[in-house]
Amino acid sequence: MKNLKGITLVLFLLLVMLAGLSCIEQKGYTNPPGYDLNKPVKYIMSDGLLEISGIAFHHGKSDSLYAEQDENGRIYYLKLGDKKAPGYSKFGKAGDYEDLAILNDQVLMLRSDGVFFTFPFNQVRSGEIANVQKQENILPDGEYEGLYADEKTNQLYALCKHCNVDNTKKSNTGYIFRMAANGAVKQSGQFSISVKDIEAQSGQKKVAFHPSALAKNQSTNEWYILSSVNKLIVVTDAAFKVKGVYPINPSLFIQPEGIAFDNQNNLYISNEGDKITPGTVYKFIYKK
């Protein structure tokens, strides 16, 4: 009987400890206003999108999500929640493609070395895309993962993950482009994100910031910058001044690589899978 009481007491103490740890864990992850990053709607990707990276919508319409994955020259299109395998069209050779954007009915794919591939949006569902422009020497040498198209300003934004011009412990540089009707891009400006401001907001010291993706919340005019390496979402104002830093749960966000908003202000984050875990897209419903 004493042994039974002892076992019961031990189990009770373990449960109390686990509950305490759970509360601490929950309190450790704050959220940007309007979103609960601990409660996503989860969509499992098919094997073709195991290594899903960049994601985008056309005019913010959530009925079709456009995506690419790291290794092949394909653009995928799918309806989230649909059990049917996503369709895709081939636009180029195998390569390290990281993000995509849609602007002026042109699609722009970003390769990690800063090379752009553009083609007409009306060819996305053609199976084989014929009119592809390869645009080199547009960006300085470096590694790039983030690309965003702002339809309101008619501009493209590319953000450096690790570039020769940057010290990633001090700042990350981004570049702004205009796109012509035929898909040709030309630089029109640049911007910078202060890593020191990220440190100040997060309370962390000696942060080497490596952004994976960026998207603009059109309702607040704020930028959401995602880092898979740092497991952070950094929120800035329209001029890229840091307003908030939000650590994300690594057990939920195993390898977050893409970010997008739909026209209802819902937030989407794509996660690359591995040999055990499938690729996923998380939807975070906006609540006022």
Side-chain angles (χ1 to χ4, degrees):
M1 188 71 174
K2 289 182 178 179
N3 288 340
L4 182 60
K5 287 182 178 179
I7 291 169
T8 303
L9 179 60
V10 169
L11 288 172
F12 174 75
L13 290 172
L14 282 171
L15 287 170
V16 170
M17 289 173 64
L18 288 170
L21 287 171
S22 176
C23 289
I24 291 170
E25 183 179 6
Q26 290 297 321
K27 290 179 181 178
Y29 298 101
T30 56
N31 297 296
Y35 304 97
D36 187 345
L37 298 180
N38 299 301
K39 296 180 179 179
V41 179
K42 185 176 181 179
Y43 299 99
I44 304 296
M45 297 294 101
S46 65
D47 290 344
L49 283 172
L50 174 66
E51 296 186 34
I52 186 172
S53 189
I55 55 174
F57 295 108
H58 187 221
H59 299 319
K61 296 177 181 177
S62 62
D63 57 347
S64 291
L65 179 72
Y66 300 90
E68 50 80 35
Q69 65 106 337
D70 281 350
E71 295 181 352
N72 59 45
R74 297 174 178 175
I75 181 169
Y76 290 81
Y77 49 92
L78 64 148
K79 183 177 181 179
L80 291 172
D82 196 335
K83 293 182 179 180
K84 184 173 66 175
Y88 67 84
S89 293
K90 187 174 179 61
F91 68 87
K93 298 178 181 178
D96 187 15
Y97 301 99
E98 295 292 348
D99 212 346
L100 78 160
I102 305 169
L103 183 66
N104 294 339
D105 288 323
Q106 292 282 334
V107 179
L108 192 145
M109 312 294 292
L110 173 65
R111 204 167 65 187
S112 63
D113 59 357
V115 175
F116 292 153
F117 297 80
T118 57
F119 50 85
F121 178 76
N122 61 16
Q123 294 187 18
V124 164
R125 299 172 188 258
S126 65
E128 190 80 25
I129 298 169
N131 302 321
V132 180
Q133 295 183 62
K134 182 180 180 181
Q135 302 187 58
E136 302 178 271
N137 304 314
I138 302 292
L139 288 163
D141 290 343
E143 182 181 358
Y144 296 84
E145 290 195 357
L147 184 68
Y148 177 77
D150 189 340
E151 291 183 296
K152 285 187 177 180
T153 64
N154 196 37
Q155 295 185 122
L156 290 158
Y157 295 78
L159 181 57
C160 195
K161 180 181 181 181
H162 189 83
C163 287
N164 297 338
V165 298
D166 286 332
N167 178 341
T168 54
K169 293 183 179 179
K170 293 183 178 180
S171 65
N172 293 87
T173 302
Y175 301 90
I176 306 169
F177 299 89
R178 294 284 183 182
M179 178 185 276
N182 65 357
V185 298
K186 184 177 181 179
Q187 187 178 332
S188 59
Q190 65 182 61
F191 60 93
S192 181
I193 299 167
S194 170
V195 178
K196 295 301 179 184
D197 287 350
I198 294 173
E199 290 176 349
Q201 289 276 350
S202 66
Q204 299 179 34
K205 295 181 179 179
K206 297 181 180 180
V207 173
F209 188 55
H210 299 289
S212 305
L214 76 164
K216 196 174 190 180
N217 185 328
Q218 295 291 348
S219 68
T220 64
N221 219 27
E222 294 171 324
W223 289 97
Y224 280 54
I225 300 153
L226 174 69
S227 172
S228 180
V229 172
N230 301 100
K231 294 294 187 290
L232 293 175
I233 290 177
V234 175
V235 178
T236 77
D237 65 14
F240 292 96
K241 174 71 174 176
V242 176
K243 294 178 65 176
V245 177
Y246 302 92
I248 54 178
N249 190 341
S251 64
L252 183 63
F253 298 92
I254 296 173
Q255 192 172 342
E257 296 286 349
I259 188 168
F261 290 93
D262 66 19
N263 56 15
Q264 300 300 309
N265 302 323
N266 299 310
L267 172 64
Y268 300 77
I269 295 176
S270 58
N271 293 272
E272 187 174 316
D274 54 29
K275 292 181 180 180
I276 300 172
T277 309
T280 58
V281 172
Y282 292 154
K283 177 182 179 180
F284 301 94
I285 297 171
Y286 173 68
K287 295 181 179 179
K288 293 183 180 179

